[in-house]
Amino acid sequence: MSIFQLVIAPALLAAVLLYSGCSDSDSTTSASLVVDFPAAYVVMGEQGSLAVIDLRTDQLAGALPLRKMNRLAVSWPHHVSLSPDKARIAVGAVGADLSGGHGGHGDAGGSAVVVNAVTGATIASRDTESGIHNVAFSPDGTTLWFAEMSDSGQVHVVNSETLQSIATLPAGDEPAEVTFSSDGHLAFAANGASADVTVYDVASRQYLRTIPVGENPVGAWPGGNGWMYVDNENSRTISVFHHDSSSVSATIDLGFKPGYAALLTARNELWVSNADSGKVVIFEQSDSGWSRVAEIATGADAHAIAFTSDGVKAYITNQGAGTVSVVDTASRAKITDVSVGHRPNGIVLRELNG
């Protein structure tokens, strides 16, 4: 046996044993963090990770790195989805910095990643030719839906455990977010370049209709009341339509670039993040239409909004400030800012009952 074999062979053997001892499902587990508590998962765009906030204390608990099955880092992840059984987290990566609202669109390839919600271990991943804003669990958790941001857009339906293709559906130009109606029967793709929203039947996975909205829509966000709220960045408006309708019934003029829109069902308030000035603006509906009733200063480049299930607290990511603002919804007062890192964007709450 040569000296080369004596020196190198043990090192190679150790490497093989180390790799073979890490299965695909545990290769990205964070040794220091097990999320067995109610938590907010915050997508850290620049860092390619999930910051975890303990909802019991509203303090940062740590971070889970996002890795593909081949162990490569996820490039500029954006939005996040929680499976109905709360066991898995799905993240869409756009491959570009979308801070400043969503101003960083490009042609970089993206990826879809599913991880264990407790350990952060990678369950499955899939690369895409174009960037994707989000990967959304279907209401029954068996499939994931996402759109590729290409000129001739497509919505992909894949198996939620393996990410293997099930169906490919037509969309408009440069689709961004894919969302679902509150009753789970319909899916929506907001098409930025064609200024419309494509509607699909979830059960049959069939195209139904297209609804014209404002300029550069990013997402059709569901309210618990059957209505959808579309944030149109270039026209600086919110388009409102019922999920069974074929047209917009109301348009809310904002006067600022929206980053996200979320209906606080418990108080029937529409919260819209203002990407221009680091605020969340609150609107209420009356017989005379929608009116602006309050605003809350959160942080630079305010973005995604998530409410607790009881509607008591709101969590707002601030991409420019690197923080998550925790807000008391009744008093509309900020409770605290949690420093999380660079470019936080998507957020989802995993509340544990019992």
Side-chain angles (χ1 to χ4, degrees):
M1 180 178 290
S2 69
I3 294 177
F4 176 84
Q5 288 174 312
L6 286 171
V7 174
I8 301 299
L12 288 174
L13 178 60
V16 170
L17 290 174
L18 177 61
Y19 182 80
S20 62
C22 294
S23 67
D24 287 334
S25 63
D26 66 11
S27 61
T28 61
T29 303
S30 171
S32 60
L33 181 61
V34 175
V35 190
D36 55 0
F37 48 85
Y41 296 79
V42 184
V43 181
M44 305 305 301
E46 187 172 333
Q47 293 164 263
S49 63
L50 291 171
V52 179
I53 297 172
D54 190 329
L55 295 180
R56 299 167 301 182
T57 61
D58 288 333
Q59 294 183 351
L60 184 67
L64 300 171
L66 289 171
R67 296 288 184 267
K68 303 177 190 179
M69 293 297 285
N70 60 8
R71 296 171 172 263
L72 292 179
V74 175
S75 176
W76 288 103
H78 192 55
H79 278 177
V80 58
S81 175
L82 177 67
S83 63
D85 63 2
K86 302 182 180 181
R88 293 167 291 162
I89 297 284
V91 179
V94 73
D97 183 0
L98 297 191
S99 55
H102 294 89
H105 288 178
D107 296 326
S111 58
V113 180
V114 180
V115 303
N116 183 293
V118 176
T119 66
T122 304
I123 297 170
S125 67
R126 171 176 172 154
D127 290 331
T128 57
E129 292 184 5
S130 301
I132 57 178
H133 270 238
N134 74 326
V135 183
F137 279 100
S138 62
D140 65 3
T142 62
T143 59
L144 285 161
W145 294 54
F146 63 87
E148 291 198 60
M149 281 171 26
S150 59
D151 290 339
S152 55
Q154 294 179 329
V155 168
H156 298 278
V157 185
V158 302
N159 181 285
S160 65
E161 295 182 355
T162 65
L163 298 187
Q164 294 297 309
S165 296
I166 295 174
T168 301
L169 309 176
D173 297 339
E174 295 186 10
E177 305 283 344
V178 176
T179 57
F180 296 96
S181 58
S182 55
D183 63 8
H185 295 158
L186 301 174
F188 303 84
N191 307 304
S194 53
D196 51 31
V197 172
T198 311
V199 187
Y200 310 92
D201 180 84
V202 172
S204 65
R205 304 179 188 118
Q206 296 293 318
Y207 164 85
L208 294 178
R209 56 187 174 272
T210 298
I211 303 174
V213 290
E215 296 178 19
N216 193 18
V218 175
W221 307 107
N225 53 10
W227 292 83
M228 308 296 295
Y229 304 88
V230 184
D231 53 332
N232 307 301
E233 287 199 347
N234 289 6
S235 59
R236 298 179 171 240
T237 60
I238 299 290
S239 298
V240 184
F241 62 85
H242 193 270
H243 61 221
D244 289 329
S245 177
S246 298
S247 61
V248 169
S249 63
T251 299
I252 306 173
D253 290 320
L254 301 175
F256 59 84
K257 183 180 183 179
Y260 197 93
L263 186 75
L264 177 55
T265 306
R267 302 178 64 85
N268 198 29
E269 297 173 347
L270 184 65
W271 290 41
V272 183
S273 55
N274 182 340
D276 293 331
S277 61
K279 299 177 180 178
V280 168
V281 182
I282 301 173
F283 296 84
E284 289 183 349
Q285 187 179 22
S286 64
D287 293 339
S288 58
W290 291 87
S291 58
R292 180 171 177 160
V293 295
E295 62 179 39
I296 304 164
T298 58
D301 196 3
H303 191 61
I305 304 167
F307 299 111
T308 54
S309 57
D310 59 11
V312 170
K313 289 182 180 179
Y315 292 78
I316 299 98
T317 62
N318 306 301
Q319 294 187 99
T323 61
V324 173
S325 295
V326 185
V327 174
D328 179 274
T329 59
S331 64
R332 298 169 179 164
K334 185 193 296 187
I335 299 171
T336 189
D337 284 321
V338 184
S339 295
V340 289
H342 300 292
R343 297 292 188 265
N345 41 62
I347 185 171
V348 68
L349 306 187
R350 180 172 177 261
E351 299 176 88
L352 303 178
N353 301 318

